[in-house]
Structure formats: structure tokens, C-alpha cells
Amino acid sequence: MRRLVLAALSVLLVACQSNPSRPAGGGTRGRLEPVPFERVKLEDSFWKPKVETNRRVTVEACLAKCEETGRIANFARCGGLEPGPHQGLLFNDSDVYKVIEGAAYTLATTPDKALEARLDTLIDKIAAAQQPDGYLNTYYTMVEPAQRWKNIAHGHELYCAGHLVEAAVAYEAATGKRKLLDVALRLVDHIDATFGPGKKLDPPGHEELELALVKLWRRTQDPRHLALARFFVDQRGSAQGRERFGDYAQDHLPIREQREIVGHAVRAMYLYSGVADVAGITGDAELWSALDAIWHDVVDTKMYVTGGIGSSASNEGITHSFDLPNETAYCETCAQIGMALWNQRMFLATGEGRFADIVELELFNGFLSGVSASGDRFFYANPLASAGDRARVPWFDCSCCPSNVVRFLPAIGERIYAHRGDELFVSQYVGSDAVIPLAGQNVRVSQRTEYPFDGVVRMQLDPEQEAEFELRLRVPQWCDGKFEVAVAGEEDAGSTALVDGFFCVRRRWKQGDSLVLRMEMPPRRVYADPRVEANRGRVAIQRGPVVYCAEGVDNSGGALALVLPKSADLAVIPTAARGEPVRIAADAQVLVERRFDAVRTEPRHATLVPYYSWGNRGTSDMVTWFPESAELARAPGGPSAQVGEILVRASHAWPSDSLAAVIDGVSPKASNDHDIPRHTFWSHRGTNEWLVQEFRLPKPVSSSSVYWFDDTGRGGCRVPKSWRISCRVNGEWKPVQLASGETCATNVDTWCTVKFVRVLAEAVRLEVELQPEMSAGVLEWKLE
């Protein structure tokens, strides 16, 4: 740290290194208070348009889908307002509640009488669906009334209740109307009468209610609400008087004994958010110890460079440390939102910048990729590579992600500022105006910046009266301590320090005082822990908080074929207009051809775009972790694998499968043999696909035997509708001439063999027509 006087007008303060984080423990001086989003007016070119799109487009689109799919009608039918059966999944009530919550946030900043009237009508339907004892769940009331509170592990009743509570608190805060809050209070009274010591001892199977109860307690100050939240936290993992739900629901060990994340990623995030709330209020040291250990396990061993968590689609969650595949990465949008919610609570409880760093990572990467620029299409999963077969869609049968986006985006303002005593924290850099209560008066703060694409942040502080207080500016981990702060107007900037990831300036502030924060923002290379097998020999590119990717739409030859050698220069491409995303140019190479042991590359000027923006210009391939050598790049013409003197290629391959498996010589026991490697065309369904065996030297072939993969009863692969064999001779593909009486059979649990007139072939192609709505796979393919 050093101080430099500039022309007697400002003091330049240069921080040389970041401060190591201390263990979480609720902070040394108490919990921070967030500045409510309704007291923050966005004035930037990045978030303000997105929040406006959410208000104009996303809220309306999700409300329309809730009506179209019967989610809203379920309440009217449950309340006897209209005839008809229940429609959809057992947790669909929660989508309606989340949309109401998001709409309430928009009403709090932008009043809209038509939208408010529409929500009031919807709330009338919700109130009608509530039962006399306070119970409220349309599925169990209409479809399985005898199963109320009988399937806590998977029934989602408490999960839906949590989202109702959050919506009710938000709607009352925005409009002053209590009807939905009264509905939520009656439901919570019913839950409190049903669960607790001497009653039902189960915690929620899908966590959410814990954090919602704390939010309700902050509104009502009713000690029963906080006590019920604490009860559910304490019961997590307890085996006394109940059967535990297992690690899928983080219910395998008492929460105070847990030290690593397990199970379903979204459930985990909501649990840790609720635990952080309870621990922050009670000061429970054992809960803090568990949360800190889990946080390090997540961030150090199970988090993607984009902030994504939950690598596996099979459990929508966690596998093991450093298992971070790219093309099959699940990274559910809800999990990224949950990661931001949890880390925001950890920050408010401790004042530590490391948690706000993760919130920032999610905001500009993992979360934001989940919604299109138009605001009406969504990703459920957010992979870090794609062969061009991924696209956002308007809605899902399970639409937790779109409805979560609706409520998360408009509340962005509450993540910018916080205060504690006479300390004012700036945790996120967003152009905004805010009025913040501090040390007995209001301080107006103005922040102007083109962040995240520019590292300059200009701030003005206007206290009602001159006073001493401390301004804390977060120093993001990505800037590696390379920043400077200039306080204008005074030779003496006051005392300074770098504490818990924040640069602190304590001085007497008066109206009109200003400062400038400058953070260096060059493109930089990021390398994964070598234990991440998927990223060995690969590099990611980050500039400021934004992670970059390449799309085929910008890069002829395909994004997956790009190579970024260590020597490749990276340069920022100037933007044409304010608010446009900054792109990066790279002197790259592109893999043109791979033939056995030889690869051929050509120089290529590659264009990189922010990861969050991918998929907004049609479908094309995409890559985030770039190979630094051609051996790891994917050649045009589909995926390939070399096995000895044979090169196997395919029209498409599911990334977690093995192309080499089709000629590995391992004989299947049956078509549904899951114990051996396989190749599948998943997730392509009903299409025409192909496999090729290419030889280093031409070979005579006269028969082909295929053992099809078919997982009927378990998955979506079936034997194909039809198939045939072609051979390449002198560079030309031709179908083979079948021997007399031969057909291309599609049988299960046996070899499907066809004989044909002998051909001296350079390569043999298996051409497959998939069944409608089905995929297919090959366990083994032999040529004679």
C-alpha cells in the first residue's frame, strides 16, 4: 500500500495484493443490512435494460405460460371457482408463486395498475384454494388428498409453501395488500401445528421453506416463524424418530457434521441459504463451521469457471470432487441462482469479499446464460461446450428455471450495497443511485460505470451532514490486486486499509465528495486444477468478471476445432456502441483435418464472446475451455477416435459415451448392458446418423455385425428403424451389394449380421435411421 498526491487535488491509493480470507463466523462486528432494491435506482447500460426486459417480456411470458399450462387454473379448480381436473406436475404451484414474487419486485419499482389487478385476481384464486385448516397445495387437495404430508421426501408440499411465503412477503411490501400474506400466514400456522417437537419430525425434502420462514420472521417478528426455521435446520440429517432421506436431499448427516456438498444441487443451495440465515441470527458457531467447510468444498473442488455447480444430469447435482465435464455439464439455472442467494447471505453475515466475488461470478456468467437476450427463452442446463444441438426454449414441463429468473433479475439492486454501523459496503459495481441509512442519517450514493466491460467506477457520496464513516469497496479476486482509488478534492484521503477483500477508506465525508476506482481488465488465461481431467491441456479466457467462449457462428471451421496456443495473442475488440458486449480477438489455429496420427491446422483469427451470450444467434457449436494443442481439438465432420490402425468417426456422439467402444472387442451380455462402454447418438432422436471405420490402408470386407444398445424401460435408446452399409472406394461412397437372402436386422440381445459382396474399402459406413422420437446406440461393431 502506498499513497501518492496528485496535483494536490486527489490521493491515489494503490493496493498491491489481496487480503487472505478468514473463516466465516458471522462477522466481527455483526450482520450487514442490505439496501432494499426498491431504494436503488439502476442507471447503467448493462443491468437496467435486462431488468426492463424482465418487466416487459419475461413476467408476461411466464404468466402466459402459467395460464396456458393450467397452473393458474389449478387454483381456481381447487377452490371450486371452475370445473376441471388438476393439470401438470405436483410442484407446479411453486411456479405461480415465483412469478408473483418477480412481478411484485417489478411493481415495487415500476407501478403498473393493469399488472397489479391481474395479480389480485390470481391471488383471489389462490385464496379460494386454501383449505379450512390452512393447508394449501392444489395437487394433493385434488389428486391425492389422502397423501397429505405422507411423502415429505419427494412431495414438494413444503417447497411450494416456501415459495408462497416469499411471494406473499414481496407482494405485501410492493403493494401494501395483505391478502396473500394472510394466506401464507394461515398455511405457516398449519405447518407449525403439524411439524415440530412431539409432532412430525421431518425437514423439507426439497429445501426452501427454511429461508422463506426467516424472511417471514423479518417481516412479522413472530418468534414462532424463526423457531420453525431453526427446527427444520436442526432436523436436517437427524435420525431420531424418523427415517432420513439420504444424501440426495442432504439428509445423510446432521447439518452440523456435514463438510461437503452432496446430492441435488438446487436443494443444497436453498438449504445452505436457510442455514446461513439461521446461523447469522443465532450466531451458531457449529453451523458456521459446517457452512465454511462446505463452501470451500464447493468453490475449491466442484464449481465450474462460470460459477456453475451440479455437473450431473442423472441426479441434477453433485458427483465427486473435480468431476467437471464440459459438454455434459448440467449446471441447472436454478442452482446458479441458488449459489448467488447463498453467497449473498454469507456476505451479509460476514462482510467478506470472497462471498460477493461468487455472487458476481454468477451474475455475469452462470446465471445470465440461463435466459435469452430477448427475455422469453431459457436454458435449464448450462453446458460449457456444445456440438450445436442446444437451444433455449420458451418453457419446460418442469419450469422452475424460467420462474426463478423472473424473481431473481428484478431484485438485482439489493445485491449492490450494504451497511453496518458506520460502514458502507459497495459489493457489486452497477451504475445506480441509492439512499442508504448510515450512522444516523441518509447518505445518497451515485455510482456510474460501464462495468463489467470497463474497470472504471466513479462514485459520489452526499451525506445529509458532514460526518465520518467508512466506505468499503470490494476488490474482486480477478483483478489480482491491480487497482487504484483516487479520492478527489482533498489532499488527505483519510485512513485506508484492505480488509476481507474490501478496500476501506475512513474519513469525514461531505456532500459532493467523489472518488474513482480503476481496475485493470486485460484478457487473461485461466487454468483448471490439474485434477479436472476434462480441462487438462485446456485454457479458459476471462476479462474482468466475464468468462468468454467461442461460437461457430463467429468462427468458420467451428468453435470446437479452435486451438489457442500458449503464444496466442489476445486483444479487446472495441465496441461500436455503449452497452454492447466487449469481444476478444485471438490469434488462434483451427484443426482442419485429423487422419490417424497426423493433424493439419491453419492459422485463424478467432472471435470470443461472453459466455452468458452464447446461443442468442441460432444454434452452432460452442467451446469455453480451449485446447492449447491440436490433439485435443475436434476435427470438422463429427467426433472421432483412433484405435490402432482404425479411425472411428460419427455424425454425433453423446459426450459421456465412447466412440472407441464400438471396436474395443468387448462382447456385450445383452443390448441393455450398462457395464461396458458404449456409443450412442443421444440426444438426437428420430434422425439419420452414421458411424465410420476408416482404415490406414484399404482392407477387404464382406460382412458387418452390429450389437445394438437398447435401454427400454430405462432410457430413450432403441434399436434403429433401419440401417445399411456403404463403403468408400477411391474416395467415393457406395452402398454394398447384399448377398442373396441377406437383410439388415434390428434385433435385441444378439448380433445383427449382414453379408455382402467383398469390397476393398478405404472406409466402411454404418448408416442408421432412428425410430421416431428415439435415439440409438452401438455396443460393438465388427467387420469381417
Side-chain angles (χ1 to χ4, degrees):
M1 182 74 64
R2 61 189 177 89
R3 181 175 296 166
L4 176 66
V5 179
L6 295 181
L9 293 176
S10 63
V11 177
L12 184 66
L13 307 165
V14 182
C16 300
Q17 60 184 15
S18 59
N19 192 55
S21 297
R22 58 183 170 80
T28 57
R29 296 183 57 192
R31 182 183 184 273
L32 280 64
E33 290 299 324
V35 177
F37 68 89
E38 60 266 24
R39 301 187 67 172
V40 179
K41 182 180 179 183
L42 300 182
E43 293 291 352
D44 75 327
S45 61
F46 189 86
W47 287 112
K48 185 177 180 179
K50 292 175 174 56
V51 171
E52 178 62 16
T53 297
N54 186 83
R55 183 185 70 83
R56 291 186 298 101
V57 178
T58 314
V59 169
E60 175 58 37
C62 288
L63 272 174
K65 286 296 183 181
C66 284
E67 291 174 346
E68 177 185 319
T69 58
R71 284 165 166 82
I72 292 176
N74 285 337
F75 290 101
R77 293 168 184 177
C78 185
L81 302 180
E82 67 176 61
H86 183 276
Q87 291 180 254
L89 304 173
L90 57 82
F91 44 72
N92 278 359
D93 290 359
S94 65
D95 293 331
V96 178
Y97 300 147
K98 284 185 284 184
V99 175
I100 292 174
E101 183 185 355
Y105 294 151
T106 69
L107 289 175
T109 56
T110 310
D112 183 329
K113 290 184 178 180
L115 176 60
E116 185 174 338
R118 186 175 178 186
L119 294 176
D120 287 342
T121 300
L122 171 53
I123 289 168
D124 288 341
K125 295 176 182 178
I126 294 172
Q130 189 164 38
Q131 301 304 293
D133 62 356
Y135 181 86
L136 177 54
N137 184 286
T138 64
Y139 176 83
Y140 283 99
T141 299
M142 298 178 70
V143 181
E144 294 188 90
Q147 296 301 309
R148 282 187 7 172
W149 306 127
K150 297 290 180 63
N151 183 15
I152 308 302
H154 302 291
H156 288 76
E157 291 159 285
L158 295 174
Y159 167 80
C160 290
H163 281 302
L164 170 60
V165 168
E166 289 201 86
V169 172
Y171 197 71
E172 193 236 11
T175 66
K177 298 176 179 178
R178 283 189 54 98
K179 186 166 189 175
L180 190 61
L181 182 63
D182 289 339
V183 169
L185 287 169
R186 286 195 295 272
L187 175 57
V188 170
D189 287 344
H190 172 77
I191 294 171
D192 189 46
T194 306
F195 292 82
K199 295 170 274 189
K200 291 189 74 68
L201 299 176
D202 290 320
H206 193 312
E207 302 91 329
E208 213 284 335
L209 182 58
E210 300 90 335
L211 69 89
L213 286 167
V214 174
K215 187 175 288 190
L216 183 63
W217 169 77
R218 290 200 171 108
R219 163 61 183 83
T220 66
Q221 293 298 299
D222 187 332
R224 294 181 306 138
H225 300 154
L226 181 59
L228 187 56
R230 190 168 188 177
F231 166 78
F232 284 137
V233 167
D234 289 340
Q235 287 300 106
R236 182 67 49 185
S238 172
Q240 295 185 1
R242 57 178 293 266
E243 184 176 343
R244 292 189 292 201
F245 303 146
D247 59 7
Y248 180 74
Q250 299 77 45
D251 194 37
H252 58 302
L253 287 172
I255 184 63
R256 291 171 175 79
E257 298 176 18
Q258 295 186 30
R259 293 296 181 270
E260 62 180 7
I261 185 174
V262 297
H264 188 272
V266 180
R267 294 178 187 230
M269 292 300 101
Y270 288 170
L271 169 64
Y272 305 151
S273 295
V275 174
D277 279 338
V278 170
I281 295 166
T282 63
D284 190 317
E286 287 184 323
L287 289 180
W288 280 118
S289 178
L291 284 174
D292 192 53
I294 293 169
W295 186 87
H296 277 289
D297 178 62
V298 174
V299 173
D300 297 343
T301 75
K302 298 183 176 78
M303 185 178 75
Y304 284 88
V305 68
T306 57
I309 62 164
S311 61
S312 173
S314 63
N315 67 341
E316 293 190 313
I318 309 302
T319 54
H320 54 82
S321 295
F322 307 109
D323 179 31
L324 298 170
N326 293 311
E327 203 166 342
T328 59
Y330 199 63
C331 296
E332 183 180 338
T333 298
C334 283
Q336 317 333 313
I337 291 174
M339 189 73 166
L341 296 176
W342 174 35
N343 277 273
Q344 177 70 4
R345 284 165 167 80
M346 297 290 278
F347 162 65
L348 291 174
T350 66
E352 293 186 32
R354 58 174 167 145
F355 302 118
D357 283 347
I358 300 299
V359 175
E360 176 182 80
L361 184 66
E362 299 295 348
L363 289 177
F364 292 112
N365 301 284
F367 153 69
L368 198 52
S369 64
V371 58
S372 65
S374 60
D376 58 356
R377 302 183 74 85
F378 308 91
F379 277 140
Y380 199 104
N382 295 272
L384 278 75
S386 170
D389 54 352
R390 302 290 187 107
R392 295 179 183 87
V393 298
W395 198 247
F396 306 91
D397 289 339
C398 172
S399 267
C400 52
C401 295
S403 54
N404 234 347
V405 169
V406 168
R407 73 187 186 120
F408 185 76
L409 249 178
I412 191 75
E414 71 181 12
R415 301 173 186 106
I416 302 173
Y417 304 103
H419 58 94
R420 179 178 61 193
D422 66 350
E423 299 167 343
L424 170 57
F425 289 75
V426 183
S427 60
Q428 302 298 331
Y429 296 114
V430 179
S432 55
D433 294 324
V435 177
I436 301 171
L438 194 73
Q441 65 170 318
N442 286 327
V443 177
R444 185 175 296 276
V445 179
S446 175
Q447 184 181 166
R448 295 295 181 268
T449 181
E450 294 301 311
Y451 202 85
F453 298 121
D454 187 275
V456 178
V457 181
R458 303 180 187 278
M459 299 189 67
Q460 180 172 315
L461 283 77
D462 292 297
E464 292 174 330
Q465 298 177 345
E466 182 175 335
E468 178 181 323
F469 57 86
E470 184 169 292
L471 177 66
R472 293 195 170 198
L473 304 173
R474 181 174 59 89
V475 180
Q477 186 180 28
W478 58 258
C479 79
D480 198 25
K482 297 175 181 177
F483 72 97
E484 61 185 38
V485 178
V487 181
E490 301 285 347
E491 287 194 15
D492 183 10
S495 62
T496 63
L498 192 59
V499 180
D500 292 334
F502 282 83
F503 185 76
C504 309
V505 182
R506 177 169 287 278
R507 66 191 294 267
R508 293 192 66 81
W509 299 89
K510 63 180 183 300
Q511 287 195 8
D513 280 351
S514 63
L515 60 85
V516 179
L517 167 65
R518 291 183 173 89
M519 295 168 281
E520 293 186 15
M521 205 176 264
R524 65 190 186 99
R525 289 174 172 261
V526 178
Y527 292 92
D529 187 294
R531 287 170 286 186
V532 181
E533 182 179 357
N535 294 333
R536 291 175 192 159
R538 294 178 180 269
V539 64
I541 305 301
Q542 184 173 347
R543 181 176 181 268
V546 178
V547 176
Y548 280 74
C549 71
E551 291 187 89
V553 67
D554 298 310
N555 298 279
S556 60
L560 293 170
L562 288 175
V563 180
L564 284 186
K566 291 181 182 293
S567 59
D569 288 333
L570 302 172
V572 174
I573 301 174
T575 58
R578 180 174 180 260
E580 279 192 2
V582 167
R583 297 176 297 158
I584 293 175
D587 290 332
Q589 297 174 355
V590 64
L591 178 61
V592 176
E593 182 182 22
R594 172 181 285 115
R595 182 172 172 79
F596 297 101
D597 301 323
V599 296
R600 183 166 65 88
T601 62
E602 293 178 354
R604 186 65 47 87
H605 292 297
T607 298
L608 280 56
V609 298
Y611 166 79
Y612 73 78
S613 69
W614 82 278
N616 275 290
R617 296 170 293 166
T619 56
S620 66
D621 62 337
M622 181 274 290
V623 63
T624 305
W625 285 95
F626 299 88
E628 292 189 317
S629 64
E631 286 70 24
L632 294 176
R634 186 176 299 181
S640 62
Q642 183 176 340
V643 181
E645 299 294 296
I646 299 175
L647 184 66
V648 183
R649 295 188 290 114
S651 56
H652 172 73
W654 182 240
S656 60
D657 291 338
S658 169
L659 255 182
V662 302
I663 58 169
D664 62 6
V666 178
S667 295
K669 292 177 288 188
S671 285
N672 67 349
D673 192 340
H674 285 78
D675 296 329
I676 64 173
R678 62 179 179 268
H679 161 78
T680 71
F681 299 110
W682 185 262
S683 54
H684 289 190
R685 290 176 284 190
T687 53
N688 293 319
E689 307 291 342
W690 51 263
L691 279 171
V692 165
Q693 292 188 40
E694 183 174 353
F695 314 123
R696 189 182 294 272
L697 297 173
K699 287 186 176 183
V701 291
S702 58
S703 74
S704 170
S705 298
V706 184
Y707 208 110
W708 299 106
F709 176 70
D710 186 307
D711 59 355
T712 298
R714 179 169 177 175
C717 287
R718 302 291 185 271
V719 294
K721 179 180 179 181
S722 65
W723 60 281
R724 71 174 188 173
I725 297 293
S726 294
C727 290
R728 192 180 74 205
V729 179
N730 297 325
E732 184 178 357
W733 286 102
K734 291 183 178 181
V736 297
Q737 181 180 343
L738 299 185
S740 178
E742 292 291 306
T743 59
C744 297
T746 54
N747 299 320
V748 296
D749 301 331
T750 188
W751 290 97
C752 295
T753 300
V754 64
K755 296 180 181 179
F756 47 85
V757 175
R758 183 175 179 270
V759 180
L760 186 64
E762 301 160 348
V764 179
R765 185 167 66 194
L766 174 63
E767 300 172 2
V768 182
E769 181 184 1
L770 306 184
Q771 292 190 43
E773 302 302 321
M774 292 294 170
S775 191
V778 174
L779 292 169
E780 196 71 15
W781 177 25
K782 298 189 298 187
L783 297 174
E784 299 292 344

